[in-house]
Amino acid sequence: MGQKRLLVAGNWKMNGLRADAELMAEGLASRCHAMGNVAVDIALFPPSTLLDYMARALDDTPVVVGGQDCHRAEKGAFTGDLSAWMLRDVGASYVLLGHSERRAGHAESSAQVKDKAQAAQAAGLVAIICVGENSSERDRGETLAVVGRQVQESLPAGATHANTIIAYEPVWAIGSGQVPSTEEIANVHGEIRRLLVKATGDDSGAIRILYGGSVKPSNAAEILGLGDVDGALVGGASLILDDFWAIVTAAVR
Ligand code: PGA
C-alpha cells in the first residue's frame, strides 16, 4: 500500500479567467519539468470556459484536465448544459460529479449523479463521484449512514478503478478551514472501501478514494499518509500555484 500512486485533483469551481489559466499552466509545466519523474497523478478542473485552453496548454505535461459536471445525455435540447462527450472532445479525461455544491445548489440527487456517471463512463471519462455529510448529519452521528447511502446510490453499474473514483468531502469541511480528525477520515474511508468491495465484487480495493475539504499544504502530508486515502480533491488551495504544488509534492510516492 505504501507505494501506491496518489491523485491530486484541483477543483477551481467558478473561478479563473484566461490570465489565471495561463499562469497556472506555465507554472505547473515548469515545475513538472523540473521534477522530472512526476510520481503522482495531477488533474485540474477549471471552469468549462478554460477547459479547451488548459488541455492544450498542459498537453506536454503529466497534468490532465476534467470538467466540473456533465449532463446525463449525449446531446439535445438542454440549454446551458454540457455533455460528457463534449468535455472529452476538448481534451478532458475526468469529470467531477455530485459535488456538494451541485447536490445542494442544484438539488442533484444520487440517482442523477449515477446517470451522469454512466454517461461519463460511456464517453470514456473517469468520474470522480463526491459524497459527504453536512454538519447537522454529522452532529446527529449519521456520517457513515449518509456517506454509505450516497456511495451505494451514486455508483454506476460497471464501475471499476479505471473509470470511477470516490471523493469523500464532508460538506462542513469545504472552504471552512475545518478538517475531520485523521481517525474520522480513516474511519469513513474504511467504510467506503468496504462498500466498494461489496458493490463491485473486487476485493483488491482498487477504486481510489480521495479526501477533500480544506486540504492545505499544512495538513496534506498527514491526510495523504493515511492508508485508505488515495489522493486529495483540493478547492481553494488549487487556485494558488505554490499551495497546489506543495500538496502535489506531499503526494509524491
Ligand atoms: P476546499 O474545497 O479545498 O476549498 O475546501 C474542496 C472542494 O470543494 O472540492
Side-chain angles (χ1 to χ4, degrees):
M1 280 304 261
Q3 292 310 308
K4 70 190 170 180
R5 194 176 170 93
L6 303 184
L7 166 66
V8 176
N11 173 13
W12 274 22
K13 309 188 179 185
M14 198 175 75
N15 294 291
L17 300 175
R18 180 71 167 248
D20 305 302
E22 278 173 26
L23 278 178
M24 181 59 76
E26 279 168 20
L28 286 177
S30 68
R31 286 170 195 228
C32 285
H33 185 72
M35 189 182 256
N37 172 32
V38 181
V40 53
D41 292 335
I42 309 170
L44 262 189
F45 296 78
S48 306
T49 47
L50 296 173
L51 208 43
D52 184 32
Y53 170 76
M54 279 206 129
R56 289 171 200 262
L58 292 165
D59 195 33
D60 288 340
T61 77
V63 183
V64 299
V65 298
Q68 297 177 7
D69 179 46
C70 72
H71 195 274
R72 67 173 195 285
E74 185 171 353
K75 59 184 175 178
F78 304 105
T79 303
D81 286 317
L82 292 171
S83 80
W85 286 263
M86 290 168 171
L87 298 175
R88 177 89 190 161
D89 188 46
V90 292
S93 41
Y94 286 83
V95 63
L96 289 179
L97 294 175
H99 189 281
S100 66
E101 286 149 20
R102 301 226 36 109
R103 288 184 188 262
H106 297 261
E108 275 185 20
S109 67
S110 289
Q112 286 170 311
V113 173
K114 182 180 181 172
D115 287 345
K116 291 175 177 209
Q118 210 86 61
Q121 215 180 90
L125 297 179
V126 177
I128 300 185
I129 298 174
C130 305
V131 297
E133 82 287 0
N134 63 31
S135 59
S136 42
E137 290 162 342
R138 178 178 200 241
D139 292 345
R140 289 198 299 268
E142 295 171 4
T143 298
L144 291 183
V146 168
V147 169
R149 196 161 58 236
Q150 288 177 340
V151 169
Q152 282 165 319
E153 293 176 358
S154 306
L155 199 70
T160 69
H161 71 280
N163 59 30
T164 307
I165 292 171
I166 301 293
Y168 170 53
E169 296 207 303
V171 180
W172 53 273
I174 294 174
S176 67
Q178 289 178 277
V179 178
S181 68
T182 48
E183 290 73 22
E184 287 174 299
I185 296 173
N187 193 24
V188 177
H189 279 234
E191 173 66 4
I192 295 173
R193 178 77 65 212
R194 193 183 68 76
L195 291 170
L196 290 174
V197 167
K198 202 169 133 197
T200 63
D202 178 358
D203 64 6
S204 68
I207 289 185
R208 296 206 269 197
I209 307 172
L210 312 182
Y211 169 78
S214 295
V215 176
K216 307 285 177 210
S218 56
N219 60 22
E222 188 180 21
I223 294 170
L224 291 167
L226 297 171
D228 272 321
V229 173
D230 302 315
L233 179 52
V234 184
S238 73
L239 294 163
I240 303 160
L241 176 62
D242 284 346
D243 286 2
F244 189 57
W245 191 253
I247 297 167
V248 166
T249 306
V252 168
R253 290 293 178 268

